[in-house]
Amino acid sequence: MRDDADRSGPWDGAWVRARVAAMAQEDPERQRFGASDHGFRLRPPLAEETIRLFEVQHAVRLPASYRSFLTDVADGGAGPDYGLVGLMEEVDDEGALYDVREEDRRAGFLSTSFPHTSEWPGPGREGNANYPVEGSLVIAEVGCGMFHRLVITGSNAGQVWLDDPDWGGFTPGPDFRDWYSAWLATT
């Protein structure tokens, strides 16, 4: 896996697309978890104006590493677990993702300051599932009621947290660039 020289700069979209294409060639039967859903396909990138309109509508500024991914690489598609949900993607109203996606789109939800600075233990760790997730955006479905959430506001903006309300709780993770790059590095 190559290391981007400028970790805060734009993504090298051509390199990411080539890496995802190589991953598809390495797994033609789509045996890797989630590959049968995302099919190692990336959606087209978003126009800057589309992102700005989303940010104005929700009164937020998307974290730089995610924002650059949307403009330089793709609006979702191939990625960890069942793949990245596109910022502008319509989700099936029959799927598990629908309810959390609708919650993310409520007025004021994304612009509310993300309240967490450390993990919140879930029921399987002697905690509970009643934790707030405002200020975060679902970007991927893990399965079994779990999701990856990108923190949009607050001191942890840019981090991807694992949301597992049925068992593990809410767990902090790396910056979006590191999170997605780790997936690209797997074989």
Side-chain angles (χ1 to χ4, degrees):
M1 167 77 196
R2 82 185 193 121
D3 185 27
D4 289 319
D6 182 0
R7 306 287 300 155
S8 63
W11 285 78
D12 182 343
W15 183 86
V16 172
R17 285 186 286 282
R19 174 64 189 129
V20 170
M23 293 168 82
Q25 286 184 335
E26 295 163 7
D27 184 15
E29 301 297 318
R30 308 294 190 254
Q31 297 298 307
R32 182 185 197 144
F33 182 79
S36 62
D37 278 35
H38 62 68
F40 295 105
R41 291 180 302 275
L42 291 168
R43 290 182 192 82
L46 290 177
E48 178 67 31
E49 180 161 326
T50 302
I51 295 169
R52 266 198 308 272
L53 287 172
F54 179 90
E55 291 174 331
V56 167
Q57 179 183 9
H58 294 281
V60 297
R61 173 80 176 173
L62 296 174
S65 61
Y66 179 65
R67 196 173 202 288
S68 173
F69 185 89
L70 293 172
T71 60
D72 300 328
V73 180
D75 178 28
D81 300 310
Y82 288 109
L84 292 177
V85 179
L87 183 67
M88 305 309 292
E89 181 180 352
E90 295 292 324
V91 298
D92 181 3
D93 64 358
E94 300 288 320
L97 188 57
Y98 183 78
D99 289 337
V100 293
R101 188 63 174 224
E102 287 297 302
E103 179 182 53
D104 287 356
R105 299 305 196 250
R106 275 193 344 245
F109 184 88
L110 293 177
S111 61
T112 299
S113 187
F114 184 72
H116 304 282
T117 56
S118 61
E119 72 178 327
W120 181 291
R125 296 173 48 224
E126 300 184 21
N128 65 60
N130 297 323
Y131 49 84
V133 294
E134 289 89 348
S136 70
L137 173 70
V138 169
I139 59 169
E141 184 176 356
V142 178
C144 298
M146 295 183 293
F147 301 93
H148 291 291
R149 290 183 162 275
L150 175 67
V151 178
I152 303 296
T153 58
S155 62
N156 292 316
Q159 290 181 343
V160 178
W161 286 47
L162 178 62
D163 182 4
D164 178 8
D166 293 333
W167 183 255
F170 208 27
T171 310
D175 175 78
F176 176 82
R177 183 182 299 264
D178 294 335
W179 176 78
Y180 194 81
S181 295
W183 178 77
L184 289 172
T186 59
T187 55

